[in-house]
Amino acid sequence: MSRSAFRWAVALVLAVPAYAAEAPPRERATAGGDLAWFQGERLEISGTMRTYLPLAIGPGRGVYLDLDARTSIERVAGDFKFLVEDLDYTVEVGFKQRAARFTRLPLRAFAGQQGTQRVDADGEPFVRYVGGGVASAGYRRRDTGLRWRADAGVVLEQRQVRADGLLRGKLDFTSRAGRGFGSGLGFAVEVDGLLDGSDFRGDWRGGPHRRFALGGGVALRLFAHWIESRHPLGLGDSGLTIGLDLRETDDGSRPPGAVPDVGGSLATGGGEGRLAARLLVRVLSPQLTARTRLAAEVDANILTAADTGELYYLYHFGVEQTRGPLIGGVYFYHRSNHQLAEPNDAVTAINVLETGVETRGWDRPGRDAARTLEARFRAGYLIDSNFGERRRWHARGGLRWRVPLARDRVAPFVLLEAETGDVDRRLYALGLAPAAAVELRVEYREDDQFFGRDRDALLLTTHVGF
């Protein structure tokens, strides 16, 4: 199929009219992500993390925070180093209102920023925009049948890119197929682009998928999609991508241990002229035995600076066992360090095989009267490192104490974290937890792995769990 024909085919499908349906019940926070092998000219791997945090403010209306972060990897070098090309992101806050009774379709008004942070290279282009959109009823609540959404916006500010407006659309159809571990076949098409006068430049994506319902509102998709990328803030490569997508919808209960559990936290803040952001996503498999599960965690961090920004990823993969209030396991731990929006030819990393124990709910923000004291301790063997490999032992740990005073209202706490071995890292924080999944922190970070001249930072941050 020619590029022009592909574009018109996607546009035609996206033009299919919606049908009326009953409005979904109140939404809840969801998370998900995908990992794909990319057959293009430059990229080899693409991974995306998504979070959606809604807050109802009345019948049929609410506000929300929507965050997508995609990492594009040019190739995987030796010693488990990832040569990351860039970090694409979209951050959006909005207001959602169910439309008139005759349609019951959710309408949205939003403001956001879409951009690219070059990794180990110069440049950080972005656009800031306002806009509106409409979606099929229950777009986020279900994962089968016909689902669609369409957005349009006006660009208010831009950097290193020319644009007047934006257009986005998606149509997804998946057949319904039984209960439990049922599966369904489907097809999805999507477009995301910027308008510069009459010139439209976008990323076009489409192809088949097979869905496996894992229960409890969690689904796994295996997909094969063709991507044609012309978006100045998009993927930047065209070709075939094959991968898997783990997603939550907000339907169904989640029996403990019966289905995969996707959760994590989102944090942002700043101090001393620096900005910080963190997105942590943790995935637990269904139970392999009565107490054993597989665990995977991706912890992405950004910290800006006057000389060079920091982008670092912490990955954890392992097998865990739960015994009462404690969780023990064996893990592979990887940290990859990059410079943000600055040229850099010295990507650094550490790789550790470790074992450890932690309390349930460790690193989960918010107040909980049942969780007064939380702790984590892990120790292991350093496989390799870019910091001299002077020490082969490696240890990490943390302690959080929630002050009993008024813990049912504001829940003040103290948090200490440390990592030592070939390199050192420290974090000290004082905070308040005014809600079940919200924390406000004053934190001090000290990290030997930072590229910038300032190896420490004093920050005020907000953390939201999902």
Side-chain angles (χ1 to χ4, degrees), residues 139-371:
Y139 176 80
R140 293 185 178 274
R141 182 167 179 77
R142 59 172 182 264
D143 198 36
T144 58
L146 180 64
R147 303 164 54 249
W148 62 268
R149 63 179 292 177
D151 300 329
V154 177
V155 173
L156 302 179
E157 185 179 352
Q158 54 201 295
R159 174 189 290 178
Q160 301 175 6
V161 65
R162 293 172 56 89
D164 302 316
L166 64 86
L167 292 174
R168 300 183 302 214
K170 182 175 182 179
L171 186 141
D172 185 310
F173 176 77
T174 305
S175 63
R176 298 178 175 88
R179 297 174 177 266
F181 197 75
S183 62
L185 295 174
F187 186 88
V189 288
E190 185 174 2
V191 61
D192 177 12
L194 296 177
L195 283 167
D196 179 18
S198 60
D199 183 24
F200 179 76
R201 295 170 295 164
D203 281 6
W204 304 76
R205 174 176 183 146
H209 59 258
R210 180 153 190 172
R211 174 186 183 270
F212 298 89
L214 304 179
V218 180
L220 174 69
R221 289 188 178 195
L222 304 179
F223 62 83
H225 289 171
W226 174 266
I227 297 179
E228 182 182 344
S229 180
R230 295 294 181 268
H231 198 305
L233 303 174
L235 191 62
D237 200 0
S238 298
L240 179 67
T241 179
I242 300 173
L244 55 89
D245 183 314
L246 185 67
R247 61 180 60 195
E248 288 183 303
T249 57
D250 63 1
D251 62 338
S253 60
R254 192 179 302 167
V259 298
D261 185 12
V262 182
S265 62
L266 174 67
T268 185
E272 301 180 317
R274 312 179 73 173
L275 298 177
R278 180 191 187 195
L279 176 61
L280 183 149
V281 176
R282 180 175 173 84
V283 180
L284 298 176
S285 75
Q287 288 180 340
L288 304 180
T289 67
R291 295 191 178 99
T292 307
R293 303 176 82 170
L294 300 177
E297 184 175 290
V298 179
D299 187 354
N301 295 264
I302 291 175
L303 180 62
T304 66
D307 52 349
T308 184
E310 312 287 346
L311 171 65
Y312 54 99
Y313 298 89
L314 286 72
Y315 298 91
H316 313 258
F317 306 99
V319 181
E320 296 181 340
Q321 268 207 346
T322 302
R323 293 185 178 274
L326 300 178
I327 299 174
V330 177
Y331 307 89
F332 172 73
Y333 166 56
H334 167 84
R335 172 167 170 174
S336 179
N337 306 275
H338 308 267
Q339 290 191 45
L340 194 61
E342 294 287 345
N344 175 40
D345 57 0
V347 176
T348 61
I350 60 173
N351 297 288
V352 180
L353 183 63
E354 61 183 13
T355 185
V357 64
E358 64 189 54
T359 55
R360 285 196 183 198
W362 167 256
D363 212 17
R364 183 185 304 162
R367 67 185 186 203
D368 187 338
R371 293 158 45 209

Side-chain angles (χ1 to χ4, degrees), residues 399-411:
L399 181 70
R400 181 201 302 262
W401 178 57
R402 288 181 168 83
V403 183
L405 176 64
R407 66 185 179 189
D408 59 333
R409 287 177 284 177
V410 294

